[in-house]
């Protein structure tokens, strides 16, 4: 009995550490991502240089993320790679504070992008280790989203008081805390054994994984026009910046609610394949309404759908990855999913969104509706592949 109570205490302690890991990781993102362009401007970079630096970092992430995930699987050292990545990311993020001029800041940014690229997928791999269905994942991911909101708000206040150096400083310290915490995830199962073969080729040959990746890319990619132009559309319709900020906050709050409570229940009720279909249909509705109106009550209604179009989709995809990818290849699968299913899709659709908005204005959201609808038959087909 005492041994059972000890194991229960260890499990609770390990769960708490995992929550803290996600809080430090996504808190770091929240402290840096919204404020990095303004920080770079204070260091003398012009708009074109900032754009070049950010896009170059995105390209580096496309290569670095899957490579790090593959190596973590190959050597059976997911937590070690995560801890090292967080430590290196902390040092390179703090290095922004000493950088001046485009060449130096570009070099720091590229190195920092390579270090941070696999962090979230590797954290997901640790959170899902030993899991058969990923049912407990939503709780820790909700902690990450909540931390992102909190640090974004707090960093915004501190930037107003102390300047834009607060962003890299806070992010670096949070990443360092995550690096110190990762080896202490004692209740997590041991890292899976090394994988000598397969990897990318095995994933590419898996029809279910390919279909999952395409469905995620279509649904997540369809968010691109909203992320780039929604606030511009709202302000053109006379919606004040403060109200626009509240609409954005509502979407993130809905994301937390779905991660924490609604999403796991929907997946348990309908299964991950139908949950993917539901996320795609919610996206089609969301973007169709956005294409037609900027009436504030309608916008408030569709912002709540973000919980389905992002959080439910992510939970369903991770549940499917747990089901179809062996644990010794899971870091590879999650970094490929994060890089190509989420990151590359968003980047390409953002490029397309610029042209769409320039030519059609808010009517360009109909293309995002079509992309979401295209994901429906893709997701439905998952249940027919064994």
């Amino acid at each position: 009995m005492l041994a059972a109570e000890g194991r229960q205490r260890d499990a609770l302690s390990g769960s708490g550490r995992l929550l803290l890991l996600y809080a430090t990781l996504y808190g770091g993102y929240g402290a840096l991502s919204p404020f990095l362009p303004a920080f770079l401007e204070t260091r003398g970079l012009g708009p074109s240089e900032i754009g070049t630096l950010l896009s170059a970092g995105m390209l580096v992430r496309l290569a670095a993320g899957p490579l790090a995930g593959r190596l973590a699987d190959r050597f059976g050292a997911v937590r070690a790679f995560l801890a090292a990545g967080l430590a290196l990311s902390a040092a390179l993020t703090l290095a922004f504070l000493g950088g001046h001029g485009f060449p130096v800041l570009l070099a720091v940014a590229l190195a920092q992008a390579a270090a941070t690229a696999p962090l979230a997928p590797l954290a997901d791999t640790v959170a899902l280790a030993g899991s058969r269905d990923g049912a407990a994942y939503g709780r820790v991911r909700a902690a990450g989203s909540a931390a992102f909101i909190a640090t974004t708000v707090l960093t915004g206040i501190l930037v107003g008081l102390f300047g834009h150096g607060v962003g890299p400083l806070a992010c670096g310290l949070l990443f360092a805390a995550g690096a110190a915490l990762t080896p202490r995830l004692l209740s997590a199962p041991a890292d899976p054994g090394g994988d000598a073969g397969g990897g990318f080729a095995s994933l590419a040959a898996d029809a279910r994984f390919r279909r999952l990746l395409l469905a995620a890319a279509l649904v997540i990619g369809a968010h691109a026009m909203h992320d780039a132009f929604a606030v511009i559309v709202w302000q053109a319709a006379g919606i004040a910046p403060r109200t626009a900020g509240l609409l954005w906050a509502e979407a993130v709050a809905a994301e937390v609610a779905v991660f924490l409570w609604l999403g796991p229940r929907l997946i348990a009720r309908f299964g991950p394949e139908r949950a993917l279909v539901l996320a795609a249909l919610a996206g089609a509705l969301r973007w169709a309404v956005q294409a037609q109106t900027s009436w504030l009550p309608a916008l408030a209604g569709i912002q709540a759908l973000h919980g389905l179009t992002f959080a439910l989709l992510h939970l369903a995809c991770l549940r499917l990855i747990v089901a179809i990818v062996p644990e010794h290849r899971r870091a590879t699968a999650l970094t490929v999913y994060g890089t190509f299913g989420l990151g590359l899709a968003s980047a390409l659709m953002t490029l397309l969104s610029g042209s769409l908005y320039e030519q059609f204005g808010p009517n360009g959201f109909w293309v995002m509706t079509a992309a979401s609808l295209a994901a429906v038959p893709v997701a439905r087909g998952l249940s027919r592949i064994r």
Side-chain angles (χ1 to χ4, degrees):
M1 183 175 179
L2 290 176
E5 290 178 353
R7 286 193 297 270
Q8 185 178 21
R9 284 195 299 271
D10 287 344
L12 292 172
S13 176
S15 177
R17 291 188 185 114
L18 197 56
L19 289 170
L20 286 174
L21 171 64
Y22 272 73
T24 58
L25 176 60
Y26 284 91
Y29 291 151
L32 183 66
S33 299
F35 307 103
L36 181 58
F39 168 81
L40 295 172
E41 186 179 40
T42 66
R43 295 305 168 102
L45 272 60
S48 63
E49 291 175 321
I50 293 173
T52 299
L53 183 148
L54 295 177
S55 60
M58 187 180 299
L59 292 175
V60 167
R61 289 186 186 93
L62 294 178
L67 178 60
R70 182 71 193 103
L71 290 173
D73 278 338
R74 177 69 179 81
F75 294 103
V78 174
R79 276 181 288 173
F81 270 72
L82 176 58
L86 281 164
L88 183 58
S89 297
L92 290 167
T93 302
L94 293 173
F96 275 120
L97 297 172
H100 293 273
F102 180 68
V104 173
L105 288 170
L106 177 63
V108 172
L110 294 180
Q112 196 257 8
T116 57
L119 296 184
L122 290 179
D124 287 348
T125 306
V126 171
L128 294 168
S131 173
R132 294 183 179 181
D133 58 8
Y137 173 80
R139 184 171 64 254
V140 295
R141 186 58 178 79
S145 295
F148 186 97
I149 299 170
T151 56
T152 298
V153 172
L154 180 59
T155 303
I157 295 172
L158 293 176
V159 163
L161 295 173
F162 303 107
H164 285 282
V166 169
L169 177 61
C171 179
L173 293 177
L174 285 167
F175 282 170
L181 185 65
T182 300
R184 295 173 58 82
L185 297 173
L186 300 179
S187 68
D191 288 330
D195 177 24
F200 297 126
S202 297
L203 292 175
D206 190 319
R208 294 191 79 193
F209 185 78
R210 294 198 308 268
R211 192 171 277 262
L212 177 155
L213 205 64
L214 178 58
L218 289 168
V219 177
I220 292 298
H223 288 72
M225 192 164 185
H226 171 272
D227 295 347
F229 296 105
V231 173
I232 295 175
V233 171
W234 299 341
Q235 289 184 352
I239 294 174
R242 180 178 178 179
T243 304
L246 290 174
L247 288 171
W248 204 278
E250 179 197 351
V252 181
E255 172 187 318
V256 173
V258 171
F259 273 133
L260 189 62
W261 181 78
L262 182 60
R265 285 161 175 77
L266 287 174
I267 293 174
R269 176 69 176 83
F270 299 110
E273 294 90 348
R274 290 180 179 177
L276 271 178
V277 172
L278 178 58
L281 291 174
L285 174 62
R286 185 181 181 186
W287 312 131
V289 172
Q290 181 67 81
Q292 296 179 80
T293 182
S294 291
W295 184 46
L296 188 57
L299 294 180
I302 62 173
Q303 284 300 94
L305 291 175
H306 183 74
L308 302 180
T309 61
F310 173 68
L312 181 62
L313 173 115
H314 188 55
L315 287 175
C317 286
L318 292 198
R319 187 73 64 92
L320 286 165
I321 288 173
V322 167
I324 66 180
V325 179
E327 190 164 351
H328 61 268
R329 291 183 183 141
R330 202 168 286 167
T332 307
L334 287 168
T335 49
V336 169
Y337 160 75
T339 299
F340 294 101
L342 307 184
L344 181 60
S346 297
L348 293 177
M349 290 294 275
T350 299
L351 289 174
L352 175 62
S353 295
S355 299
L356 288 173
Y357 187 76
E358 186 175 19
Q359 295 184 50
F360 305 110
N363 284 325
F365 278 99
W366 285 115
V367 177
M368 305 298 114
T369 299
S372 296
L373 287 175
V376 172
V378 178
R380 290 185 64 186
L382 279 165
S383 60
R384 296 193 293 269
I385 302 174
R386 299 301 175 196

